[in-house]
Amino acid sequence: MRSTLGRLGGALTCCVAPLLWTPALAAQTLGDRVDQHVDQGLDRKPKSSPRKTKKRKPRPAGTTQGPARAPAPHPTADPAPSAREPELPARVLAQELQLDPYVSLAYRGWRPQDYPTIDVETELALTFALGMRLKLFQVLVIERAHYESSALSSPRRSGVGVAQQAGRAAPAAAWFLGQVGIPVRWVFKPIVRYEARAFESDITPREPVRLVPRSARASDDLSTLPTVTSTLRMSSAIETLVVGLQYHHGNDPSGLIQTQGGSLPPVYLGVGLVSYQKPYMVRVGDLVLDDLLFDAQLRGAGLALGLETPQKPKSFFLDFSGQVGLGELRLTDSLTLNESLPKDWWIGYAQGELTVGYIHPLLITRPTPLIGVTASIGGATFYYFRAFAEESEQSVPVANWDLLWGARVLLMLPL
């Protein structure tokens, strides 16, 4: 009987045990069961949304599955705040119609070459200027039109530049600069650049000097020329003209000039002319004809080149212009210094100016007023050289030199 009950108990145990252990087995796969239950309960909704939300866990580097790409537009991945700053200057006119008027104050200085028998007194001139820039659609660009002077009347004189008696008024100075471009959509842009400067200074002879008028001839007797001993007011004028092509690297898909990933500011190349009228004593190196004072005109033609970086707010800019070529030194209307040179000697010239500056916005408004400071230095020299001399025999005596410099503060209102 016991064995029978034992066998029945074992049978019941074998039947009941699986029922008693089912919850325990189920508890071992709770996560899977919960997942299965949630999936089944959300069959009527997009399965991927909650499930992927649950599965959003740290992933190994390089994983791109699911929403791992979402952080890209997150604010922490945005560009630096400076990249979102508004473009300056803010204008009120159309982009294709721009007008930039400005005013400026400047100190201008001039240093001419010394002469042994006269004293040249030069002064710094405080000048006031008006200027503008203009962009007229795709028709014309006036890149600069600038006039400044220290007096109501210009120191530029027609005819004689040294025969004016010195007065009480301070010597005057004037400056004009104009540059016009044709805005063609091409890698080369035609430009015309004209610049004129005029200065006055006082000269006092240390000993009697003969003043040679422009009408004098080579055959005139020296004893017929007037002698001066008193202080005179001298006027000097320099004019330069450039006609050329300005290269814009950003418009060149062919990469004519390789910059190795850098940027090249606009450069120009063309033909240059220079005209320089001034009181002059004939100089060959250190040897000076110091008893004759001419009202001479120095002229030249040659190769012109230049470089200018854009003038943008909160940045520095640079402007360089220069010329080099062959020159003529005209002492009177009928006499040139070139005629007195040996057969294989020539007169050359070099002229240039370098300007650096900085532009800064006064207010971040529309329009945006700007303030700028610039400093410039330049000059011109004429010299003698032999055309076919050996390198060891080559010498370059100076015929004339002049230095110019200035500092300027400007206020501009781009419209």
Side-chain angles (χ1 to χ4, degrees):
M1 184 67 179
R2 266 183 198 177
S3 60
T4 303
L5 292 176
R7 285 195 296 270
L8 291 174
L12 289 173
T13 301
C14 292
C15 295
V16 173
L19 298 177
L20 296 175
W21 282 100
T22 298
L25 293 175
Q28 293 178 358
T29 59
L30 179 61
D32 292 338
R33 289 289 294 156
V34 171
D35 288 344
Q36 182 181 4
H37 180 76
V38 171
D39 288 342
Q40 292 174 353
L42 298 178
D43 276 344
R44 290 171 294 179
K45 300 180 181 179
K47 291 184 178 181
S48 59
S49 176
R51 185 174 182 85
K52 289 184 179 180
T53 301
K54 184 190 78 66
K55 293 291 184 179
R56 191 176 298 157
K57 299 178 182 179
R59 298 180 180 272
T63 301
T64 57
Q65 181 180 357
R69 299 176 183 176
H74 194 271
T76 57
D78 285 349
S82 58
R84 298 195 302 267
E85 291 182 359
E87 183 179 354
L88 296 177
R91 299 180 178 275
V92 296
L93 300 180
Q95 186 66 23
E96 296 299 324
L97 178 61
Q98 300 177 4
L99 178 63
D100 299 348
Y102 64 87
V103 296
S104 71
L105 286 176
Y107 265 113
R108 298 290 186 183
W110 170 50
R111 176 61 178 172
Q113 66 180 4
D114 295 322
Y115 296 118
T117 56
I118 60 175
D119 291 325
V120 181
E121 298 179 6
T122 60
E123 299 179 7
L124 286 175
L126 178 63
T127 62
F128 175 77
L130 295 173
M132 70 163 220
R133 297 176 181 175
L134 173 66
K135 179 179 180 181
L136 184 60
F137 302 99
Q138 294 297 322
V139 178
L140 180 68
V141 173
I142 300 178
E143 298 181 356
R144 61 194 77 187
H146 173 93
Y147 178 78
E148 68 180 81
S149 179
S150 63
L152 295 178
S153 60
S154 170
R156 177 71 184 271
R157 309 292 175 186
S158 59
V160 179
V162 74
Q164 183 185 187
Q165 190 69 26
R168 295 182 179 180
W175 201 289
F176 174 79
L177 172 60
Q179 180 171 326
V180 177
I182 302 175
V184 295
R185 296 184 179 274
W186 190 37
V187 62
F188 293 105
K189 181 177 74 174
I191 64 167
V192 178
R193 177 178 177 135
Y194 172 76
E195 190 166 4
R197 316 167 185 89
F199 296 91
E200 284 182 341
S201 58
D202 293 338
I203 60 174
T204 304
R206 299 196 194 103
E207 57 187 65
V209 175
R210 294 189 181 276
L211 184 62
V212 183
R214 291 297 302 251
S215 58
R217 297 179 178 273
S219 58
D220 290 349
D221 192 334
L222 290 178
S223 62
T224 63
L225 301 177
T227 300
V228 294
T229 57
S230 59
T231 300
L232 298 175
R233 174 74 44 92
M234 63 183 288
S235 175
S236 300
I238 310 174
E239 295 177 274
T240 58
L241 175 67
V242 173
V243 178
L245 294 175
Q246 190 175 54
Y247 174 77
H248 289 260
H249 187 265
N251 296 338
D252 185 8
S254 65
L256 179 64
I257 298 179
Q258 300 296 327
T259 60
Q260 297 182 353
S263 60
L264 179 69
V267 296
Y268 69 79
L269 189 68
V271 177
L273 303 174
V274 63
S275 176
Y276 194 176
Q277 183 175 345
K278 63 172 292 184
Y280 178 71
M281 285 184 167
V282 176
R283 175 188 289 271
V284 183
D286 295 330
L287 185 62
V288 181
L289 184 59
D290 56 10
D291 61 341
L292 297 177
L293 183 61
F294 295 88
D295 183 25
Q297 185 177 26
L298 297 76
R299 300 185 297 185
L303 179 68
L305 53 93
L307 176 150
E308 55 183 327
T309 59
Q311 298 185 16
K312 298 180 179 180
K314 299 183 180 181
S315 64
F316 289 91
F317 66 89
L318 180 146
D319 184 357
F320 170 76
S321 61
Q323 296 185 30
V324 61
L326 296 177
E328 177 191 67
L329 210 162
R330 183 167 293 277
L331 301 175
T332 69
D333 291 335
S334 59
L335 177 64
T336 67
L337 188 58
N338 303 63
E339 298 171 1
S340 301
L341 297 180
K343 185 177 181 180
D344 58 343
W345 282 85
W346 299 73
I347 294 179
Y349 81 96
Q351 179 272 333
E353 183 180 35
L354 174 67
T355 300
V356 295
Y358 182 79
I359 300 292
H360 190 76
L362 286 176
L363 298 171
I364 309 300
T365 58
R366 185 183 299 271
T368 307
L370 305 175
I371 186 171
V373 293
T374 67
S376 62
I377 185 169
T381 181
F382 283 73
Y383 53 88
Y384 310 92
F385 70 96
R386 293 181 64 182
F388 304 104
E390 297 291 338
E391 185 176 352
S392 58
E393 300 176 352
Q394 184 65 271
S395 62
V396 187
V398 174
N400 177 80
W401 60 262
D402 291 87
L403 293 178
L404 306 170
W405 66 89
R408 186 163 63 110
V409 177
L410 63 90
L411 293 173
M412 179 183 294
L413 186 64
L415 301 176

